[in-house]
């Protein structure tokens, strides 16, 4: 019966209405004359068993062994694991209570797998064996009807758990950790804040006014976050077209405003870390977007742009709205795309070409 | 604005245990009971996961039954009315917590798990808040009795409740509105806590024939504000967890009010040991949106004297995340089902 079902359809419709109301129009990056980094896509990297298909490529992450985790909006939201060669290993969390509408998957330093679901409003931690070990947020009771977003019987006119809620999210987008294992959740489409928790899931504090805004400590859809070896937290403030860098006490350090709208960011491993920022073309493919967006920037952590690669398009090696990036190895990225229903492996030259 | 307030008031009744939950300061000077806790369940098949552990109970062999909110509660489109599917599953584990089987797969009434209890003959009773049904399975897992009827159609979102809340007295017969628990007296009569959108206890003969109702919405004796649980002692005293009134009321089998007990916060899950010296466990569960209040479980004499307390709200093993069920068939060896942490813990009190 699943194929005839539509859960939270009203909520999704409301979300789309808002999404199309303006903040997702294509963003041309301010940075100009950026050198191109030569790249190639590995042909046929992800190999699916017969009868299994990916849907929207929403999240992708790798663990310390190079295994690839793909969180996808298929007929149901599902999480798959592939090995380092792209061969299928298994499904994780089949039929899970918290899997409703994928938004991000990340793997922490201990190889725990974290899924961020904007349908159930939960962040779910799996151990490396694929069993749930922690749940952040709370899925509203089904008895209240569809309540994820917008006015409802459960939340009234407020439309969802507000920014004062310490343990509830409203369409959360991403998760990362500092060096102590504290957890940071970007919460996200509705509350425009980043919330910090202890490693055992207890609320510490947050940044963001709770309203969409462009002020110093405001966000407009914090869509992606990542952290570096010093415990700094990088927030892709998509609607404001800037990457904001906070320390782990959530004090603003600096901002990078010249690389377009950060749909997705990631930071590579190793002693010399790099920041990758995707200025994805809009998921609705407005006509002008292909010419001015769709590229990815490689940067030093201090914001210096090293180069750029990629372009909007549907062919292999082009990008159709990157929504997930895994970049442990800065010369070998794995990207997930919303509009192309695929995951690509990208090899980069280590030096840009001028 | 007025309409908004009315809507919110109504909502508070629909999912009252959530909305009404807040700071319920319980008795401060209570002895701490030493305890040890472990994850109770193991050996799951790869494609089976617990969701919210709404109900947990053991049978006479020590087998563990868990009624869980998992999968996706679903409303299907393309029909002339919204039809609901799925969203709850019943699993059986052996006494060591190893997975044995699923019971009642894809049955009509499994929408939103609320509780599971095992009667003296090892029959398994599930209570489903959304289908409004109480289902009796025999020990082999066959359905042998169905109480109340699932609504033929659901709203999306569910229609707000009436702006003037009902009295909660319910109908004569079945027609549960948000049932939460079930218990049996020594004669095999059973009692359904019809407690979220109604505020009554309904009594039935062992055959399932309705006997009587008692209770209505309110704060006085014999009145309830969200009934979260029910338990019966060896002398057929009936203990009703009157959640938002922050008390347990005690009745005889005719529904006559005997007394009330307070001092352990807002009781959510309750359980009475088999005896001979029976004690009761009561959970002052933290609300699912707050980890910083409540969460402790009380051990209480049947006269209301608090023996001690253990635990606090949290996500780690040994902490509790919105306890909705306690099994206490084995004294000092409890099973605790949590909504917030999607797990069942085995809690050993006073370990050597």
């Amino acid at each position: 019966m699943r194929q005839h079902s539509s859960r939270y359809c009203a909520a999704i419709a409301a979300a789309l209405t808002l999404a199309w109301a303006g903040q997702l129009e294509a963003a041309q990056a301010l940075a100009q004359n950026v050198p191109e980094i030569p790249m190639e896509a590995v042909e046929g990297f992800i190999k699916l068993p017969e009868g299994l298909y990916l849907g929207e490529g929403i999240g992708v992450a790798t663990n310390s062994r190079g295994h690839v985790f793909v969180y996808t909006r298929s007929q149901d939201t599902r999480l798959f694991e592939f090995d380092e060669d792209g061969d299928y290993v298994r499904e994780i969390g089949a039929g899970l209570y918290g899997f409703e509408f994928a938004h991000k998957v990340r793997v922490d330093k201990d190889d725990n797998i974290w899924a961020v679901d904007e349908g159930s409003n939960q962040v779910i931690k799996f151990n490396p064996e694929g069993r749930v070990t922690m749940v952040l947020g709370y899925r509203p009771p089904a008895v209240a009807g569809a309540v994820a977003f917008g006015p409802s019987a459960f939340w009234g006119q407020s439309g969802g758990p507000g920014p004062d809620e310490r343990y509830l999210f409203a369409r959360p987008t991403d998760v990362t950790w500092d060096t102590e294992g504290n957890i940071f959740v970007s919460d996200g489409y509705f509350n425009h804040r980043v919330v910090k928790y202890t490693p055992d899931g207890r609320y510490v504090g947050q940044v963001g006014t709770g309203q969409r805004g462009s002020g110093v400590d405001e966000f407009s859809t914090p869509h992606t976050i990542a952290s570096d070896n010093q415990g700094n937290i990088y927030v892709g403030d998509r609607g404001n077209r800037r990457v904001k860098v906070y320390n782990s006490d959530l004090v603003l350090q600096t901002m990078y405003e010249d690389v377009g709208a950060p749909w997705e960011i990631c930071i590579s491993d190793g002693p010399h870390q790099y920041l990758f920022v995707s200025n994805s073309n809009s998921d609705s493919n407005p006509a002008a977007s292909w010419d001015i967006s769709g590229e990815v920037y490689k940067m030093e952590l201090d914001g210096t742009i090293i180069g750029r690669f990629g372009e909007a398009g549907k062919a292999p090696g082009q990008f159709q709205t990157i929504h997930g990036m895994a970049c442990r190895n800065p010369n070998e990225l794995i990207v997930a795309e919303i509009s192309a229903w695929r995951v690509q492996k990208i090899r980069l030259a280590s030096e840009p070409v001028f | 604005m007025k309409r908004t307030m009315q809507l919110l008031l109504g909502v508070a009744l629909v999912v009252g245990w959530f909305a009404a939950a807040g700071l319920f300061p319980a008795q401060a000077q209570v002895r701490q009971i030493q305890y040890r806790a472990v994850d109770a369940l193991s050996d799951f098949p790869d494609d089976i996961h617990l969701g919210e552990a709404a109900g947990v109970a053991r049978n006479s062999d020590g087998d563990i039954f868990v009624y869980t909110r998992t999968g996706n509660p679903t409303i299907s489109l393309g029909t002339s009315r919204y039809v609901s599917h799925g969203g709850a599953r019943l699993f059986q584990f052996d006494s060591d917590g190893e997975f044995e089987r699923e019971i009642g797969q894809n049955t009509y009434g499994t929408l939103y798990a609320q509780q599971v209890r095992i009667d003296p003959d090892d029959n398994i009773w599930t209570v489903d808040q959304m289908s409004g049904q109480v289902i009796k399975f025999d020990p082999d897992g066959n359905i042998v009795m169905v109480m109340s009827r699932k609504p033929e159609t659901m709203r999306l979102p569910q229609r707000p409740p009436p702006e003037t809340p009902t009295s909660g007295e319910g109908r004569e017969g079945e027609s549960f509105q948000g049932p939460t628990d079930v218990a049996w007296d020594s004669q095999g009569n059973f009692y359904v806590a019809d407690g979220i959108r109604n505020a009554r206890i309904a009594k039935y003969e062992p055959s399932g024939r309705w006997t009587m109702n008692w209770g209505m919405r309110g704060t006085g004796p014999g009145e309830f504000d969200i009934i979260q649980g029910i338990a019966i002692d060896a002398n057929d005293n009936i203990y009703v967890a009157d959640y938002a009134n922050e008390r347990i009321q005690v009745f005889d089998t005719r529904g006559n009010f005997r007394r009330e007990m307070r001092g352990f916060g807002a009781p959510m899950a309750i359980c009475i040991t088999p005896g001979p010296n029976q004690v009761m466990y009561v959970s002052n569960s933290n609300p699912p949106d707050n980890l910083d209040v409540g969460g402790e479980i009380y051990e209480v004499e049947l006269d209301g004297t608090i023996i001690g307390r253990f635990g606090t709200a949290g996500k780690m093993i040994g902490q509790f995340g919105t306890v909705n069920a306690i099994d206490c068939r084995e004294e000092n060896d409890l099973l605790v089902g949590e909504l917030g942490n999607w797990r069942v813990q085995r809690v050993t009190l006073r370990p050597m």
Side-chain angles (χ1 to χ4, degrees):
Chain A
M1 293 309 293
R2 285 273 170 81
Q3 64 269 36
H4 298 302
S5 69
S6 177
R7 303 177 289 270
Y8 297 144
C9 61
I12 294 162
L16 287 175
T17 304
L18 274 192
W20 288 333
Q23 82 265 24
L24 289 192
E25 63 214 47
Q28 182 159 26
L30 298 176
Q32 294 298 311
N33 302 316
V34 175
E36 281 289 333
I37 302 174
M39 60 157 271
E40 61 172 9
V42 177
E43 200 174 325
F45 170 61
I46 290 288
K47 293 169 275 294
L48 290 157
E50 192 175 339
L52 191 63
Y53 297 82
L54 291 186
E56 293 188 329
I58 296 299
V60 64
T62 55
N63 69 9
S64 61
R65 292 189 295 152
H67 280 211
V68 180
F69 300 86
V70 178
Y71 197 30
T72 180
R73 293 172 189 162
S74 190
Q75 193 168 89
D76 292 300
T77 272
R78 299 170 80 176
L79 176 60
F80 298 118
E81 179 177 349
F82 302 85
D83 69 14
E84 63 276 20
D85 298 321
D87 288 320
Y88 179 83
V89 176
R90 60 172 173 163
E91 178 169 8
I92 295 172
L96 199 77
Y97 188 58
F99 281 3
E100 186 68 41
F101 202 60
H103 201 272
K104 196 63 59 96
V105 62
R106 301 277 189 185
V107 175
D108 69 20
K109 65 179 171 51
D110 301 316
D111 279 348
N112 298 298
I113 307 142
W114 296 65
V116 180
D117 194 290
E118 62 154 306
S120 71
N121 290 329
Q122 294 189 304
V123 178
I124 299 144
K125 176 185 181 183
F126 297 87
N127 63 18
E129 291 72 48
R131 305 303 307 186
V132 175
T133 55
M134 188 183 285
V135 182
L136 298 172
Y138 182 73
R139 179 177 180 143
V143 288
V147 295
F149 191 90
S152 70
F154 189 66
W155 294 113
Q157 294 303 310
S158 71
D164 297 334
E165 293 286 355
R166 294 180 161 200
Y167 295 101
L168 300 177
F169 307 121
R171 298 186 65 205
T173 54
D174 205 349
V175 63
T176 195
W177 313 269
D178 67 13
T179 51
E180 267 75 57
N182 294 302
I183 305 158
F184 298 79
V185 176
S186 48
D187 177 40
Y189 288 93
F190 211 78
N191 287 330
H192 310 287
R193 62 174 175 167
V194 174
V195 195
K196 178 180 180 180
Y197 297 92
T198 62
D200 56 3
R202 222 165 264 284
Y203 177 90
V204 177
Q206 63 184 37
V207 63
T209 60
Q211 303 295 319
R212 183 188 301 279
S214 57
V216 171
D217 269 333
E218 290 183 314
F219 300 98
S220 175
T221 314
H223 193 258
T224 168
I225 55 174
S227 52
D228 67 19
N229 287 344
Q230 271 65 55
N232 295 307
I233 308 300
Y234 297 69
V235 185
D237 185 9
R238 187 176 72 179
N240 288 325
R241 302 178 187 182
R242 62 189 182 186
V243 177
K244 301 175 77 178
V245 185
Y246 288 86
N247 67 14
S248 61
D249 296 324
L250 294 176
V251 177
L252 185 65
Q253 308 295 299
T254 183
M255 292 194 277
Y256 311 141
E257 302 180 272
D258 53 354
V259 287
W263 279 67
E264 170 69 341
I265 65 175
C266 66
I267 293 175
S268 61
D269 279 352
H272 188 151
Q273 296 185 287
Y274 297 97
L275 168 67
F276 292 88
V277 180
S278 176
N279 179 35
S280 309
N281 70 303
S282 287
D283 46 352
S284 54
N285 277 317
S289 67
W290 286 31
D291 295 330
I292 61 170
S293 59
E295 75 283 10
V296 179
Y297 292 88
K298 181 180 181 183
M299 307 169 76
E300 301 286 358
L301 295 184
D302 68 4
T304 306
I305 296 174
I306 298 167
R308 52 171 278 177
F309 58 92
E311 60 182 3
K314 294 179 187 290
Q318 297 180 315
F319 300 138
Q320 269 291 281
T321 319
I322 288 178
H323 199 275
M325 286 195 295
C327 64
R328 279 176 190 264
N329 177 349
N331 299 316
E332 208 170 74
L333 272 61
I334 301 173
V335 301
E337 299 150 86
I338 292 183
S339 314
W341 295 10
R342 69 186 173 195
V343 169
Q344 299 189 75
K345 184 171 186 169
I346 303 296
R347 290 211 176 94
L348 295 182
S350 52
E351 298 295 329
V353 174
F354 290 88
Chain B
M1 189 64 196
K2 180 158 177 270
R3 185 167 163 76
T4 302
M5 283 309 295
Q6 286 168 336
L7 182 67
L8 286 173
L9 275 173
V11 169
L13 290 169
V14 172
V15 280
W17 65 270
F18 186 101
L23 286 161
F24 293 112
Q27 203 163 304
Q29 301 300 323
V30 175
R31 198 168 60 83
Q32 294 285 339
I33 301 173
Q34 296 299 309
Y35 70 107
R36 197 166 52 206
V38 296
D39 205 334
L41 306 177
S42 61
D43 272 5
F44 286 87
D46 283 348
D47 60 347
I48 290 194
H49 298 262
L50 281 196
E52 296 182 2
V56 59
R58 273 187 279 215
N59 70 9
S60 61
D61 293 330
D63 278 12
I64 300 166
F65 299 83
V66 180
Y67 194 34
T68 180
R69 300 169 186 167
T70 187
N72 289 313
T74 299
I75 302 290
S76 53
L77 301 178
T79 59
S80 54
R81 298 181 296 173
Y82 299 124
V83 178
S84 56
H85 311 269
R89 298 172 81 175
L90 175 62
F91 298 128
Q92 182 174 352
F93 301 80
D94 70 14
S95 55
D96 295 325
E98 293 190 12
F99 183 86
E100 285 197 340
R101 63 169 174 164
E102 180 167 10
I103 297 170
Q105 296 94 318
N106 300 313
T107 47
Y108 185 64
T110 49
L111 289 182
Y112 193 68
Q114 181 63 34
Q115 201 52 265
V116 62
R117 298 277 194 178
I118 311 294
D119 72 17
D121 300 318
D122 279 347
N123 298 299
I124 308 143
W125 297 64
T126 58
V127 182
D128 194 286
Q129 191 193 130
M130 193 172 182
S131 73
Q133 294 191 292
V134 176
I135 312 282
K136 177 184 180 182
F137 298 83
D138 70 17
D140 296 326
N142 303 304
I143 292 174
V144 291
M145 190 185 291
V146 174
M147 300 296 294
S148 196
R149 188 156 181 256
K150 170 174 140 177
E152 290 187 1
T153 186
M154 300 270 177
R155 304 277 176 162
L156 182 70
Q158 184 166 325
R159 179 172 52 185
E163 290 177 356
T164 308
T166 65
S167 69
E169 291 166 287
R171 292 192 182 172
E172 299 190 343
E174 300 176 19
S175 300
F176 305 134
Q177 298 289 322
T180 54
D181 206 352
V182 61
W184 305 266
D185 67 20
S186 59
Q187 306 306 306
N189 300 301
F190 62 93
Y191 302 78
V192 173
D194 186 20
I196 290 187
R197 291 189 298 287
N198 275 336
R200 64 156 176 168
I201 302 298
K203 177 180 178 180
Y204 302 88
E205 296 174 4
S207 67
R209 177 187 292 274
W210 178 80
T211 306
M212 65 175 295
N213 288 345
W214 76 84
M216 60 186 294
R217 203 177 313 285
T219 57
E223 297 177 338
F224 305 108
D225 190 356
I226 305 167
I227 307 168
Q228 281 289 354
I230 184 170
I232 300 178
D233 70 16
N235 297 316
D236 281 348
N237 295 303
I238 299 169
Y239 299 76
V240 179
D242 185 10
Y243 174 79
N245 286 328
E246 298 179 46
R247 63 182 176 182
I248 288 176
Q249 296 190 62
V250 186
F251 301 89
D252 67 17
T253 57
R254 299 298 301 164
N256 297 305
F257 174 82
R258 294 300 194 198
R259 57 196 165 93
E260 68 171 38
M261 312 181 332
R262 290 179 179 272
F264 19 78
M268 194 138 144
I270 64 171
C271 182
I272 296 176
T273 59
N277 299 311
Q278 292 186 294
V279 296
M280 180 166 51
Y281 295 97
V282 183
S283 170
N284 178 39
S285 307
N286 65 301
D289 63 349
N290 198 335
L291 222 56
D292 303 321
V293 295
E296 74 280 11
I297 297 173
Y298 292 85
E299 186 178 56
V300 184
E301 303 279 8
L302 294 187
D303 67 1
T305 307
I306 294 175
I307 302 166
R309 55 174 278 183
F310 58 94
T312 183
K315 294 181 185 293
M316 310 312 284
I317 291 288
Q319 300 176 324
F320 301 124
T322 314
V323 171
N324 200 64
I326 300 172
D327 173 278
C328 63
R329 186 181 279 261
E330 303 292 333
E331 214 159 320
N332 294 324
D333 177 19
L334 311 180
L335 294 174
V336 177
E338 300 160 85
L339 299 181
N341 293 331
W342 296 5
R343 71 180 173 205
V344 174
Q345 292 187 74
R346 185 168 208 148
V347 175
T348 307
L349 300 181
R350 307 174 184 88
M352 287 300 118

